[in-house]
Structures are given as C-alpha cells and as structure tokens.
Amino acid sequence: GAGVSQSPSNKVTEKGKDVELRCDPISGHTALYWYRQRLGQGLEFLIYFQGNSAPDKSGLPSDRFSAERTGESVSTLTIQRTQQEDSAVYLCASSLWTGGNEQYFGPGTRLTVT
Amino acid sequence: QKEVEQNSGPLSVPEGAIASLNCTYSDRGSQSFFWYRQYSGKSPELIMSIYSNGDKEDGRFTAQLNKASQYVSLLIRDSQPSDSATYLCAVIDSGGGADGLTFGKGTHLIIQP
C-alpha cells in the first residue's frame, strides 16, 4: 500500500514568511508525528496526534510553530514568520496506534529559509 | 531529559563481515526500541523493532536488547556495500507514548567492498 506522503518535497522561502507543510499518513494509521532534522543533526520530535485527542505539543520549539490534523487523515505543520534557524528537513511519521508502535516515515520536506 | 547515545563512527567493515552497532539509553522507563537506516538525503527507514530482552532476528539483521544494562545493539551479518548508511537507534516510553521517538545521532557505517 501507499506509504506516508509529504508535500512539498522542497520549499524555499524568505525570512519572515509563513509556510505550510502537509503530511498524508498511511491509511488506517491513527497516530501521526512530526519531526525536524537539521543538517548534520539528529531527529527532533515536534508534535504528535492520536486520533481525535488533543495533540501533544511538547516538542514544538516556539509559538511560531503550530499543527493541525483533521480526524485521522491529513496533517499540516505551519511555521509563521520563518527564521533561518528553521531551515531543516521536516519529517512526518505515522503508526497504527501509540504506545510504542512502529513509526513509518514519509520522504520529508526540505525547508530552506533565505 | 531522555538521551540515546551512539558512536558516530564512521564504522568501517569489510564486505561479508558482521557489522555491530551499539546504543545506550538513559530512561529506564523506555519500553520500545527501534533501529532505522538512513541513506544520505533520504528519510529514516525502519529496520527492526524490539520490545523484550534478548535477541530478535530478521534476515541478516539481529537486534539485541538488555534492559538491565540499558543497551541495544544491531548486528548485520554478511554485510553488503548497500548496507552503507547511517543507522539510528530510537526509543520510546510506551507508558504514555505521547512524546514521540527519542533518537540517537546515528552511527555512520561503511561497508568496504
């Protein structure tokens, strides 16, 4: 079946602009996660959605970051007033459920803030 | 602060040999453990998951878990040049499951033909 998809694959934006990144999880997966990977760095957890529950936003680095998810489908990660330090690959993952279940990653969106 | 430690490498192994990758973690509450492979410029690909002490084998890959020592390892038998990649160890506290995977920074593995 289809894996996790993300769009766009690449995004170049000017400092101060807002960007929206999209993730479409594997069909039937109830949990969805966003991660960030800066160049040469490890993966950093950002936010997690489980079904219709309120998201766990504990990893969001600032209030310029927000995310939404409609039911158990598409999620969008929005970064407002982008800064150069936001340049990174943003990865989305989904899993059947939480509680330690296996997470499968999408191809990522490479964001470059100029 | 949960931490996952890996030797960054590079770890160089001749083709056909066994590659051994190691990982330690700080949170004793960690319940689920994963190995991901990441090729340069690509996203992480799940290789193995392990949840209980002991060994778990899948093809050429064997994951080993020792919760008492807070240690996870990955063995790759009959290493191939296509195994050259960065291997990421990740853990999760399934008690809540709410804070995502904690990743190590990865070990860069090079398989020499």
Side-chain angles (χ1 to χ4, degrees):
Chain A
V4 178
S5 61
Q6 292 186 246
S7 61
S9 55
N10 281 285
K11 176 72 176 179
V12 180
T13 190
E14 292 179 352
K15 178 181 173 181
K17 300 282 190 183
D18 297 352
V19 295
E20 191 173 275
L21 312 179
R22 175 187 169 110
C23 172
D24 203 339
I26 293 171
S27 177
H29 280 197
T30 63
L32 186 149
Y33 304 78
W34 284 97
Y35 295 84
R36 175 171 72 177
Q37 188 172 32
R38 289 178 164 142
L39 187 63
Q41 302 287 314
L43 275 83
E44 175 188 6
F45 167 75
L46 298 179
I47 189 170
Y48 142 85
F49 295 89
Q50 168 58 42
N52 293 316
S53 303
D56 173 12
K57 304 179 181 180
S58 60
L60 292 178
S62 80
D63 58 8
R64 297 186 295 104
F65 287 71
S66 63
E68 293 184 345
R69 187 182 186 192
T70 304
E72 295 184 352
S73 60
V74 171
S75 174
T76 55
L77 177 69
T78 301
I79 308 173
Q80 295 179 312
R81 304 181 304 281
T82 52
Q83 303 295 312
Q84 287 187 329
E85 62 263 26
D86 299 334
S87 295
V89 176
Y90 289 83
L91 291 156
C92 175
S94 70
S95 66
L96 273 174
W97 55 77
T98 57
N101 205 241
E102 297 168 342
Q103 295 181 27
Y104 296 90
F105 283 84
T109 294
R110 182 175 299 277
L111 175 66
T112 303
V113 181
T114 61
Chain B
Q1 181 76 15
K2 298 177 184 178
E3 293 183 349
V4 176
E5 299 288 340
Q6 295 181 254
N7 188 321
S8 62
L11 173 64
S12 185
V13 173
E15 184 177 357
I18 297 175
S20 177
L21 305 163
N22 304 314
C23 168
T24 59
Y25 59 95
S26 64
D27 184 8
R28 283 194 174 275
S30 298
Q31 297 290 327
S32 306
F33 307 87
F34 307 90
W35 283 99
Y36 286 85
R37 178 174 63 196
Q38 187 172 30
Y39 292 113
S40 180
K42 301 295 186 182
S43 63
E45 173 191 7
L46 180 66
I47 298 175
M48 293 283 289
S49 60
I50 186 166
Y51 302 96
S52 55
N53 281 327
D55 295 1
K56 179 182 177 182
E57 186 174 321
D58 184 359
R60 296 187 296 112
F61 299 97
T62 298
Q64 299 174 318
L65 174 61
N66 183 326
K67 289 185 179 180
S69 300
Q70 296 176 242
Y71 176 89
V72 193
S73 66
L74 178 71
L75 301 177
I76 307 175
R77 289 181 299 281
D78 188 23
S79 297
Q80 303 296 309
S82 59
D83 295 327
S84 298
T86 296
Y87 288 80
L88 305 173
C89 174
V91 305
I92 192 167
D93 173 8
S94 63
D99 55 355
L101 287 163
T102 300
F103 280 87
K105 292 188 176 179
T107 297
H108 183 203
L109 175 66
I110 299 172
I111 306 300
Q112 294 181 323

